[in-house]
Amino acid sequence: MQIKEAPYSNLCSSKNILTVNGQFPGPVLYANTGDTLVVNVQNDGSQNITIHWHGVKQPRYPWSDGPEYITQCPIRPGTNFSQKIKLSDEEGTLWWHAHSDWSRDTVNGALVIRPANKTKYPFPKPAAEVPIILGEWWKSDVQAIVNEFLAGGGDANKSDAFLINGQPGDLYPCSKNGTFKLTVEKGKTYMLRMVNAVMNNLMFFSVANHQLTVVGTDAAYVKPFKTNYITISPGQTIDVLLEANQNPNHYYMAAKAYNSVPGVEFDNTTTTAILQYQGNYTPSSPPIFPNNLPNYNDTNASFNFTRTFKSLADQKHPVDVPLNVTTNLLFTFSVNTLPCENESCNGPNGDRFSASMNNISFVLPRVDILGAYYKNIKGVYGDEFPSFPPFNFNFTGDSLSVELQRPDRRTEVHVLEYGSNVEIVLQGTSLLGGIDHPIHLHGYSFYVVGSGFGNFDKDKDPLKYNLVDPPLVNTIAIVRNGWAAIRFKADNPGVWFMHCHLERHVSWGMEMAFIVKDGKGSQQKLLPPPPDMPKC
């Protein structure tokens, strides 16, 4: 992979963007279940970069996982890093993206993992498979936007467009010629491999007059279900089947942001692509538009879609939910504020925006945590990330006091014993109004055993858990002012990042890391680093 700047035009204007092998989105990587890939990342851009293989568990090998200053120092301009991607049981669609600052905006692409030799999909093989990558576009330089909003303490400027496979689509100026088109044959079934690479928004997506059948998410199969729309979080992947069973015509595929917070500015535009049938006919002009895209603020539409997912849970795809939990954790996710000298910042009341987990706003160190852990370097991080919020309050109550909004800024990890059965309740809070948080855990897929609105009730809510066929995912959206409960077995030693996948929340500190200790067996220990690890 060669990362370099290239001029790119959208919305009647041009700018330089970071591309991979000259492409945006970057190239699709294809592999089979259980393969090991070696990707040489050559940084010919002008800024530091890292690449993360989103949803790949990298067993015992976090050295190639990619988050900047968590598992590696960045790849500096003019240098390269040969990354080993160790696939295990992942099967379906994942993706890769930059994991340094906001460079994932244009440095991203799909990772398609097909069944290993002689095994089949658990559904009839589609006629074709098409990656559909949802993206986001700013006319101005993205790095300048990041620098400006971090310096000013306010929110980031909203984007100018959303994209499907790098193209805004017909509804934006100067965009009609490039609109992505998918040609289908009547009577055939196609698989759309959906990736949400958008920076700061959950997205609704729909295809006019066509139902979609969801068959997988985050490289694990689900019990198929039919739907008129999907909700997809940043970081999430969803595999859907589309039957070309309508009258030959042109139909829009459309995607727009879901935004649950009144008063927060967001990009309220709609990106489109065209599904066009083969054959001789006069197509509708404009193409038929989907009439079942939910309203931008329809929280129930988002939540109800997400909670429909269930694992396949059959003989070939068994479910292995930890039943005997040995480690119980409760993490709160909040948008906060920090005081600003002379109330001169652009956040609420002249304060500076911040964000936290369990009231700790994460500070990225300048030496990577994995290297410090492996070499026993002191002073890089603390190991006191709390198991529970430091003080209890009505997490989703109205008009919470400003004192609750002041997080501690520290670099803390949480240490897990090898083999422990972990349950984490991910609890959103209504500080500053609250918002949905798509939470991603590196190094693991986890089972979502429960979710709901309001505060988690430790006595009542576990009685309603799904321990039979919960979905296995790597990214879960906590509904606005609600909660989700996840379970996994801590059997992958190393340092693993956990963060909100809304990029501005990461910039503000909504992240932490786990250290999973080595086990006793020889196959339960962290492998040594490669010789070409980037230097800090």
Side-chain angles (χ1 to χ4, degrees):
M1 279 187 176
Q2 183 198 27
I3 293 166
K4 62 169 191 211
E5 292 202 358
Y8 201 89
S9 297
N10 256 338
L11 312 180
C12 321
S13 64
S14 287
K15 65 173 184 176
N16 274 355
I17 63 168
L18 278 180
T19 62
V20 177
N21 298 356
Q23 295 169 245
F24 167 64
V28 181
L29 298 185
Y30 292 93
N32 290 336
T33 305
D35 284 357
T36 295
L37 312 178
V38 177
V39 178
N40 185 39
V41 182
Q42 171 69 37
N43 184 5
D44 289 332
S46 58
Q47 63 198 65
N48 288 342
I49 201 90
T50 66
I51 303 289
H52 167 54
W53 315 90
H54 184 112
V56 177
K57 300 182 187 75
Q58 302 280 23
R60 302 168 54 211
Y61 200 75
W63 304 104
S64 285
D65 188 47
E68 182 179 41
Y69 296 118
I70 304 297
T71 60
Q72 69 168 86
C73 305
I75 306 166
R76 295 183 204 169
T79 67
N80 66 325
F81 177 34
S82 189
Q83 290 183 259
K84 191 157 69 175
I85 296 101
K86 295 176 63 159
L87 300 174
S88 50
D89 57 358
E90 304 90 355
E91 195 171 300
T93 309
L94 293 175
W95 65 302
W96 54 267
H97 60 82
H99 214 305
S100 41
D101 261 348
W102 283 32
S103 39
R104 79 169 177 85
D105 178 46
T106 58
V107 178
N108 62 63
L111 169 59
V112 171
I113 307 164
R114 294 190 164 127
N117 301 343
K118 300 196 175 81
T119 60
K120 298 191 183 75
Y121 295 129
F123 43 81
K125 190 174 170 45
E129 304 172 15
V130 187
I132 300 285
I133 299 177
L134 305 180
E136 195 164 8
W137 186 263
W138 284 262
K139 283 189 189 176
S140 44
D141 177 63
V142 170
Q143 198 51 49
I145 288 165
V146 176
N147 296 342
E148 181 190 349
F149 100 98
L150 290 179
D155 205 346
N157 287 349
K158 64 179 187 179
S159 52
D160 296 296
F162 294 111
L163 312 172
I164 294 176
N165 291 348
Q167 294 293 337
D170 290 2
L171 308 184
Y172 296 92
C174 306
S175 301
K176 215 174 175 76
N177 291 344
T179 299
F180 177 76
K181 296 180 175 70
L182 171 60
T183 305
V184 297
E185 201 179 316
K186 186 161 180 174
K188 291 192 168 169
T189 297
Y190 297 80
M191 185 198 278
L192 307 183
R193 294 183 174 273
M194 307 279 313
V195 176
N196 185 351
V198 167
M199 299 296 278
N200 288 305
N201 293 279
L202 286 79
M203 301 293 288
F204 289 129
F205 171 87
S206 180
V207 182
N209 292 18
H210 289 72
Q211 269 204 315
L212 302 169
T213 303
V214 176
V215 291
T217 182
D218 288 359
Y221 296 116
V222 298
K223 286 188 171 71
F225 67 93
K226 287 194 174 341
T227 181
N228 294 322
Y229 69 93
I230 71 168
T231 310
I232 185 166
S233 304
Q236 189 182 19
T237 59
I238 299 180
D239 292 330
V240 299
L241 299 178
L242 178 144
E243 288 177 59
N245 57 9
Q246 296 298 303
N247 291 331
N249 206 334
H250 286 187
Y251 299 90
Y252 273 133
M253 310 180 202
K256 69 178 188 185
Y258 156 58
N259 178 56
S260 59
V261 189
V264 168
E265 278 203 5
F266 73 105
D267 182 346
N268 197 9
T269 59
T270 302
T271 176
T272 57
I274 295 172
L275 184 79
Q276 53 185 26
Y277 280 72
Q278 287 177 359
N280 286 332
Y281 58 90
T282 305
S284 305
S285 182
I288 299 166
F289 193 83
N291 59 7
N292 37 31
L293 265 179
N295 286 335
Y296 73 88
N297 59 355
D298 191 338
T299 295
N300 285 332
S302 171
F303 181 67
N304 290 339
F305 174 80
T306 302
R307 71 185 308 178
T308 308
F309 285 75
K310 290 182 168 60
S311 280
L312 214 44
D314 60 19
Q315 209 170 354
K316 283 188 179 161
H317 308 91
V319 165
D320 188 18
V321 192
L323 298 177
N324 170 29
V325 172
T326 55
T327 304
N328 277 291
L329 305 171
L330 174 71
F331 290 176
T332 54
F333 295 81
S334 305
V335 176
N336 310 90
T337 54
L338 289 165
C340 191
E341 259 181 66
N342 309 327
E343 297 177 350
S344 58
C345 285
N346 299 332
N349 308 318
D351 283 351
R352 165 182 295 285
F353 272 117
S354 177
S356 65
M357 291 172 62
N358 275 357
N359 216 47
I360 291 181
S361 186
F362 192 84
V363 178
L364 267 186
R366 283 289 156 243
V367 175
D368 62 300
I369 292 173
L370 176 60
Y373 168 63
Y374 189 77
K375 296 176 189 151
N376 206 10
I377 301 169
K378 298 280 182 267
V380 175
Y381 61 88
D383 58 6
E384 295 185 351
F385 188 89
S387 301
F388 298 93
F391 36 91
N392 265 322
F393 57 96
N394 178 2
F395 299 125
T396 55
D398 294 332
S399 57
L400 298 173
S401 84
V402 77
E403 276 61 53
L404 297 169
Q405 293 176 23
R406 305 288 194 216
D408 287 337
R409 298 191 71 241
R410 306 209 302 269
T411 309
E412 296 290 343
V413 305
H414 191 92
V415 179
L416 293 171
E417 294 296 328
Y418 184 90
S420 49
N421 289 334
V422 183
E423 175 174 310
I424 313 176
V425 174
L426 311 169
Q427 174 71 60
T429 80
S430 56
L431 288 170
L432 297 182
I435 189 174
D436 302 70
H437 298 292
I439 304 302
H440 172 48
L441 174 61
H442 292 223
Y444 289 87
S445 288
F446 50 79
Y447 290 100
V448 182
V449 295
S451 58
F453 290 96
N455 297 336
F456 175 75
D457 183 323
K458 68 179 192 322
D459 299 318
K460 292 183 185 156
D461 286 326
L463 303 175
K464 301 191 286 255
Y465 279 178
N466 174 6
L467 300 174
V468 178
D469 56 1
L472 182 67
V473 299
N474 62 56
T475 305
I476 182 64
I478 316 170
V479 68
R480 179 185 179 213
N481 299 342
W483 59 273
I486 67 171
R487 287 188 182 182
F488 63 95
K489 188 182 191 69
D491 56 4
N492 191 8
V495 174
W496 303 108
F497 202 31
M498 184 182 212
H499 60 97
C500 180
H501 225 283
L502 300 181
E503 217 55 38
R504 63 186 202 277
H505 290 181
V506 178
S507 301
W508 291 335
M510 192 179 285
E511 62 240 47
M512 57 80 70
F514 286 105
I515 288 180
V516 179
K517 285 158 70 168
D518 279 353
K520 291 191 169 59
S522 60
Q523 298 300 304
Q524 301 175 344
K525 290 183 169 30
L526 179 61
L527 291 161
D532 64 338
M533 280 305 288
K535 304 274 190 289
C536 281

